[in-house]
C-alpha cells in the first residue's frame, strides 16, 4: 500500500528526519508497534528522497518522472524486500498458504541485492534505496548477508529497515542502524483520523486493535470471520476445534494467537472484576462463561500462547498447533453443574 500522505501523528518525526539529511546514517531502523503506519512512512520517505523536485517540507512532488516510476513499482533505484508471499494480499493465497506461507526473508533475496548495489544510480542524485520489512523476517542466513552489506556500504545507498519486533534482529544489525522510534498516535488522534477516513464504530475497533489505528481500519474483511470465531469461543468446553481452527488458520498464525490472547484476557478480566477490554459487545456472555474458568488451567494456557507466538513465523504444522491450542482452550472450563 502506498499512502501518499503522512499520518497526522508522523509530522514531527518527518521534520526531524528530513531536516538533517546530510548527516543521515546509511541505514535506518523504523521501529514501533504494528498498525501505526511505519511502512507508509518509510515508503513516503524513500519516494521523497528519490524525487527530482521535492516540496519545501521535503515531500515527494508526485509529478516528476522519479515519482511516476515509484508509483508504478518500477523505480530503478529502489528495491523493496519483503517475505515473498506477503506482498500478495488476496484471500486465496492466505487460505492456500496454510503450511507454505512464506514468512521469512531468504538469503537469496538479500543476495539478489548485490547487483543493484554495485550498479550506479539511474538518476544524477546518486541515491539508491533498499526498503526491508518486516525486518524481523530476516533469518540467520539472510541477516548475515545483509550485515555484510551494511558493513561495507556502497556510496549513495540507504537501507531502511522497518520492524515491530526489533528485539528479534541481530545485535550487530541493530548497532549499524540509526534507530527511529515511530510515534504512536494518541487515542484522540487515532479516532479523529479514523473518523475523517470514514470508518464506522471507530472507538470499538480501535479498542479491539489495541490502539493501532491502521490495524483497526483494516478490520473490514475480517469482521465476519471474527464473529464466527468468537461464537465458537463462547462455547467454551463445547467448542468445535476443527471449525474454530479453520477460521483461525485463515487469519494467519500471529493474528490467530493475538485473537486468542485478547479473548482469554477478557475472560480473566471478566472473571475477576466483571469487565472486558476488547469485546464489549460480548460482555454479558463472556461473564457467564468466565464463571466456569479454572485459574490454574488459564495460566498454563497463557504460557502456551506466548510460546506459540514465538514460533509463529515457522510455517511448520500451524494447523496442528492451532488445533492443540484450541483443544487446550476447551480444558479451561469446568464442566457445568447440572442442577
Ligand atoms: Zn517527484
Amino acid at each position: 500500500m502506498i499512502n501518499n500522505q503522512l499520518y497526522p501523528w508522523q509530522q514531527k518525526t518527518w521534520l526531524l528526519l528530513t531536516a538533517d539529511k546530510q548527516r543521515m546514517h546509511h541505514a535506518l531502523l523504523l521501529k514501533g508497534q504494528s498498525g501505526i503506519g511505519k511502512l507508509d512512512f518509510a515508503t513516503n520517505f524513500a519516494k521523497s528522497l528519490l524525487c527530482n523536485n521535492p516540496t519545501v517540507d521535503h515531500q515527494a512532488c508526485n509529478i516528476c518522472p522519479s515519482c511516476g516510476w515509484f508509483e508504478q513499482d518500477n523505480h530503478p533505484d529502489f528495491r523493496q524486500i519483503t517475505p515473498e508471499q506477503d506482498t500478495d494480499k488476496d484471500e486465496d493465497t492466505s487460505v492456500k498458504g496454510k503450511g507454505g506461507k512464506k514468512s521469512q526473508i531468504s538469503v537469496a533475496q538479500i543476495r539478489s541485492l548485490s547487483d543493484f548495489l554495485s550498479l550506479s544510480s539511474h538518476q544524477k542524485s546518486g541515491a539508491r534505496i533498499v526498503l526491508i520489512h518486516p525486518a524481523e523476517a530476516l533469518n540467520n542466513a539472510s541477516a548475515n548477508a545483509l550485515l555484510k552489506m551494511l558493513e561495507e556500504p556502497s556510496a549513495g545507498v540507504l537501507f531502511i529497515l522497518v520492524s515491530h519486533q526489533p528485539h528479534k534482529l541481530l545485535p550487530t544489525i541493530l548497532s549499524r542502524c540509526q534507530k527511529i522510534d515511530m510515534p504512536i498516535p494518541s487515542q484522540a488522534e487515532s479516532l479523529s483520523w479514523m473518523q475523517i477516513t470514514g470508518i464506522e464504530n471507530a472507538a470499538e475497533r480501535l479498542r479491539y486493535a489495541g490502539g493501532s489505528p491502521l490495524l483497526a481500519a483494516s478490520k473490514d474483511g475480517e469482521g465476519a470471520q471474527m464473529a464466527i470465531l468468537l461464537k465458537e469461543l463462547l462455547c467454551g468446553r463445547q467448542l468445535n476445534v476443527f471449525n474454530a481452527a479453520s477460521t483461525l488458520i485463515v487469519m494467519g498464525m500471529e493474528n490467530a494467537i493475538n485473537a486468542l490472547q485478547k479473548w482469554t484476557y477478557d475472560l480473566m478480566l471478566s472473571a475477576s472484576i466483571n469487565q472486558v477490554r476488547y469485546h464489549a459487545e460480548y460482555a454479558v456472555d463472556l461473564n457467564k462463561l468466565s464463571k466456569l474458568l479454572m485459574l490454574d488451567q488459564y495460566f498454563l494456557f497463557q504460557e502456551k500462547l506466548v510460546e506459540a507466538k514465538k514460533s509463529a513465523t515457522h510455517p511448520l504444522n500451524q494447523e496442528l498447533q492451532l488445533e492443540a491450542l484450541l483443544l487446550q482452550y476447551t480444558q479451561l472450563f469446568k464442566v457445568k453443574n447440572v442442577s
Side-chain angles (χ1 to χ4, degrees):
M1 173 174 81
I2 293 180
N3 185 308
N4 267 318
Q5 270 184 343
L6 291 174
Y7 298 106
W9 55 89
Q10 295 178 332
Q11 302 286 350
K12 214 167 131 193
T13 310
W14 181 269
L15 288 177
L16 285 172
L17 196 58
T18 50
D20 211 4
K21 277 194 209 164
Q22 304 310 321
R23 286 179 35 207
M24 198 158 46
H25 230 262
H26 69 276
L28 303 177
L29 171 65
L30 307 187
K31 62 193 181 78
Q33 68 177 64
S34 35
I36 57 172
K38 298 186 297 298
L39 180 58
D40 287 332
F41 184 96
T43 310
N44 278 320
F45 188 56
K47 185 180 177 187
S48 77
L49 289 178
L50 294 169
C51 173
N52 305 146
N53 193 17
T55 64
V56 277
D57 55 352
H58 308 282
Q59 303 221 29
C61 73
N62 287 322
I63 302 169
C64 72
S66 172
C67 286
W69 295 330
F70 201 95
E71 279 299 318
Q72 290 155 23
D73 286 333
N74 199 17
H75 202 298
D77 297 324
F78 179 69
R79 288 284 184 284
Q80 179 154 226
I81 304 279
T82 175
E84 275 155 8
Q85 245 166 340
D86 277 3
T87 51
D88 194 345
K89 283 268 161 66
D90 86 42
E91 277 176 63
D92 274 359
T93 44
S94 59
V95 177
K96 268 186 286 180
K98 284 186 179 177
K101 190 179 178 207
K102 280 230 174 186
S103 48
Q104 297 192 354
I105 292 171
S106 69
V107 66
Q109 284 179 278
I110 296 296
R111 285 197 184 128
S112 73
L113 287 174
S114 43
D115 283 345
F116 174 69
L117 297 177
S118 62
L119 292 170
S120 58
S121 107
H122 284 69
Q123 301 200 93
K124 51 178 187 291
S125 73
R128 277 163 300 152
I129 298 174
V130 178
L131 173 57
I132 300 179
H133 78 92
E136 60 269 17
L138 290 160
N139 58 28
N140 246 331
S142 52
N144 279 306
L146 174 65
L147 185 60
K148 269 196 200 136
M149 294 171 177
L150 296 180
E151 281 168 350
E152 295 158 18
S154 314
V157 173
L158 171 68
F159 283 88
I160 306 177
L161 281 64
V162 177
S163 173
H164 58 272
Q165 295 177 308
H167 58 277
K168 288 190 176 169
L169 297 176
L170 287 184
T172 39
I173 288 200
L174 284 175
S175 71
R176 300 229 161 236
C177 294
Q178 180 185 349
K179 293 166 217 54
I180 294 156
D181 285 310
M182 292 302 291
I184 300 166
S186 69
Q187 194 187 17
E189 281 173 319
S190 298
L191 286 176
S192 104
W193 175 77
M194 287 173 78
Q195 270 146 12
I196 291 167
T197 323
I199 292 163
E200 289 174 13
N201 304 327
E204 203 164 69
R205 281 169 176 233
L206 190 63
R207 188 167 354 101
Y208 190 81
S212 287
L214 304 189
L215 223 57
S218 72
K219 287 278 169 220
D220 262 341
E222 287 170 30
Q225 224 176 326
M226 191 59 87
I228 299 173
L229 174 68
L230 297 185
K231 219 171 134 198
E232 276 295 343
L233 290 174
L234 265 181
C235 297
R237 244 188 127 77
Q238 276 74 43
L239 165 134
N240 181 318
V241 169
F242 299 103
N243 284 352
S246 61
T247 314
L248 280 178
I249 194 85
V250 180
M251 298 164 69
M253 202 59 184
E254 212 172 328
N255 291 336
I257 295 169
N258 280 337
L260 290 174
Q261 281 179 322
K262 284 172 178 166
W263 179 258
T264 48
Y265 178 91
D266 268 357
L267 264 176
M268 175 53 98
L269 207 60
S270 187
S272 45
I273 54 171
N274 193 11
Q275 281 184 14
V276 292
R277 176 164 168 198
Y278 300 111
H279 307 87
E281 65 278 42
Y282 292 89
V284 176
D285 292 330
L286 264 164
N287 191 250
K288 269 188 217 159
L289 185 60
S290 75
K291 299 212 182 330
L292 299 170
L293 189 64
M294 292 187 283
L295 282 189
D296 49 344
Q297 296 297 320
Y298 171 86
F299 289 114
L300 286 175
F301 187 58
Q302 292 308 312
E303 281 171 25
K304 271 279 150 56
L305 288 176
V306 172
E307 257 172 54
K309 206 168 196 176
K310 280 186 199 148
S311 60
T313 49
H314 293 284
L316 285 176
N317 285 332
Q318 295 193 337
E319 203 159 12
L320 276 179
Q321 212 180 345
L322 283 173
E323 284 169 8
L325 283 172
L326 287 164
L327 198 62
Q328 196 178 350
Y329 171 81
T330 64
Q331 306 299 311
L332 298 180
F333 307 99
K334 286 179 246 175
V335 183
K336 255 185 239 174
N337 285 331
V338 190
S339 55

